[in-house]
Amino acid sequence: MRFLLRRSAPPGYVSSYVMGVSWPRSGHHLLARLLRLYYGAGFAYCGFYGQAGCCGQAPCARAGQVRYSKNHDFDGTLPQDPSRRYLVQTRAFVPSVVSNFELYLREGGSDDAASFARFASAQFTAYRAFQDKWVTSEFARTQTVIPYEALIRDPATALTYALSSFGDTGPDPGRLRAAIAQVDGEEVAHRRVTPRPGTGVHAPRDVTQFRHYDAHLFGYLDKLTLTRQEVNKVFRRHLGRDAAEGNMLALQASPSLEALERMILGSPEYAARGRRLRAV
């Protein structure tokens, strides 16, 4: 993925409230903990999802008192208000979907390779929509966008950019270093989130160590361009059926809808279906 760090706030800008918008498993809580360590206990944060006392609104009804809040924009309806500041976090699809799968298992999902493949296939629909709206759009160019990879690789620079969203353009280097060294970490694996107190910012997981890792399958995950809905729509139009689940990720990795359509139109199944329809 293309690493993006944008400091977009104009000189002298001071914000009392910044809305955090993050793709799941992109380091939002890590960044929130870093900000709390940097600013101190007076830095009010709201996690939105199930947090006691939350107003349940986005943007926050207590903006100003609450300095920073969380939102994943799951349904794609979160407004993009140019008068507000947004701190956007994203992550490469493959490591994010591996991490998110571990949380999915806590909701009763099956822990096997087929379940993971289907989960990843379905997740890509939401991932692409999030990227289009919050990472690559014209609106995103006016906001601060921090990839998880940049946060882990160079936390001092990433935190400096995050602070600029709050109007803090001259952060204290000592406080930065202390926050990065002392921040709590966590490990997500096998249905569990295990806190790692005081471990500091640490290297991300190696996806090749994931128990369902398969180089062939993960090669498709790195190339996904189409949603499963798009694939099935083309299959229904030309073949009268959905794509086979076992082929779905490979089909989603087609370079374009046009390429997928050409493949279907050149298939023996399409030719045979045409002969059957003519016979009828």
Side-chain angles (χ1 to χ4, degrees), residues 125-201:
T125 300
Y127 181 81
R128 198 181 73 178
F130 185 91
Q131 296 296 303
D132 289 345
K133 181 176 180 179
W134 293 107
V135 179
T136 61
S137 67
E138 286 301 313
F139 181 83
R141 296 182 185 278
T142 68
Q143 305 300 324
T144 300
V145 182
I146 301 180
Y148 177 82
E149 292 79 3
L151 175 61
I152 298 302
R153 184 185 65 235
D154 188 354
T157 298
L159 183 53
T160 297
Y161 274 82
L163 292 170
S164 74
S165 292
F166 293 88
D168 190 344
T169 57
D172 180 278
R175 286 160 60 194
L176 279 178
R177 289 193 297 270
I180 292 165
Q182 299 168 14
V183 70
D184 294 341
E186 65 181 24
E187 180 182 354
V188 182
H190 299 285
R191 294 184 171 89
R192 295 190 301 274
V193 179
T194 305
R196 301 295 186 204
T199 55
V201 178

Side-chain angles (χ1 to χ4, degrees), residues 7-267:
R7 191 201 306 262
S8 55
Y13 175 84
V14 177
S15 174
S16 59
Y17 168 67
V18 174
M19 176 173 286
V21 184
S22 60
W23 175 250
R25 313 309 305 159
S26 292
H28 173 83
H29 285 294
L30 173 60
L31 185 57
R33 290 193 293 268
L34 286 167
L35 290 167
R36 183 70 177 272
L37 284 170
Y38 182 85
Y39 282 122
F43 183 82
Y45 165 76
C46 180
F48 188 75
Y49 297 99
Q51 180 166 321
C54 175
C55 69
Q57 299 181 42
C60 181
R62 295 186 291 139
Q65 178 185 350
V66 170
R67 298 292 310 284
Y68 186 45
S69 64
K70 174 183 179 180
N71 201 288
H72 290 315
D73 195 20
F74 284 127
D75 60 5
T77 62
L78 185 66
Q80 294 180 324
D81 183 348
S83 70
R84 295 187 179 275
R85 291 288 90 186
Y86 296 79
L87 183 48
V88 180
Q89 290 177 265
T90 185
R91 189 176 186 178
F93 178 68
V94 174
S96 77
V97 79
V98 168
S99 185
N100 215 16
F101 180 70
E102 301 288 8
L103 301 183
Y104 161 75
L105 294 178
R106 300 197 302 181
E107 302 171 4
S110 299
D111 189 8
D112 55 59
S115 176
F116 172 72
R118 185 177 180 86
F119 177 80
S121 168
Q123 280 271 292
F124 184 70
T125 300
Y127 181 81
R128 198 181 73 178
F130 185 91
Q131 296 296 303
D132 289 345
K133 181 176 180 179
W134 293 107
V135 179
T136 61
S137 67
E138 286 301 313
F139 181 83
R141 296 182 185 278
T142 68
Q143 305 300 324
T144 300
V145 182
I146 301 180
Y148 177 82
E149 292 79 3
L151 175 61
I152 298 302
R153 184 185 65 235
D154 188 354
T157 298
L159 183 53
T160 297
Y161 274 82
L163 292 170
S164 74
S165 292
F166 293 88
D168 190 344
T169 57
D172 180 278
R175 286 160 60 194
L176 279 178
R177 289 193 297 270
I180 292 165
Q182 299 168 14
V183 70
D184 294 341
E186 65 181 24
E187 180 182 354
V188 182
H190 299 285
R191 294 184 171 89
R192 295 190 301 274
V193 179
T194 305
R196 301 295 186 204
T199 55
V201 178
H202 54 83
R205 71 189 302 157
D206 178 0
V207 296
T208 66
Q209 300 305 305
F210 178 50
R211 60 194 172 281
H212 302 310
Y213 177 80
D214 175 86
H216 187 66
L217 181 145
F218 274 62
Y220 290 137
L221 296 185
D222 275 328
K223 299 175 183 176
L224 295 183
T225 58
L226 306 179
T227 68
R228 60 188 291 120
Q229 293 87 347
E230 290 171 334
V231 169
N232 280 331
K233 184 176 180 179
V234 176
F235 263 72
R236 291 174 195 140
R237 182 165 69 246
H238 294 298
L239 298 177
R241 65 173 178 85
D242 285 345
E245 192 61 43
N247 297 330
M248 181 59 76
L249 286 173
L251 295 167
Q252 286 180 256
S254 301
S256 66
L257 280 171
E258 293 75 17
L260 175 62
E261 192 163 36
R262 286 194 299 271
M263 183 274 290
I264 293 173
L265 296 179
S267 69

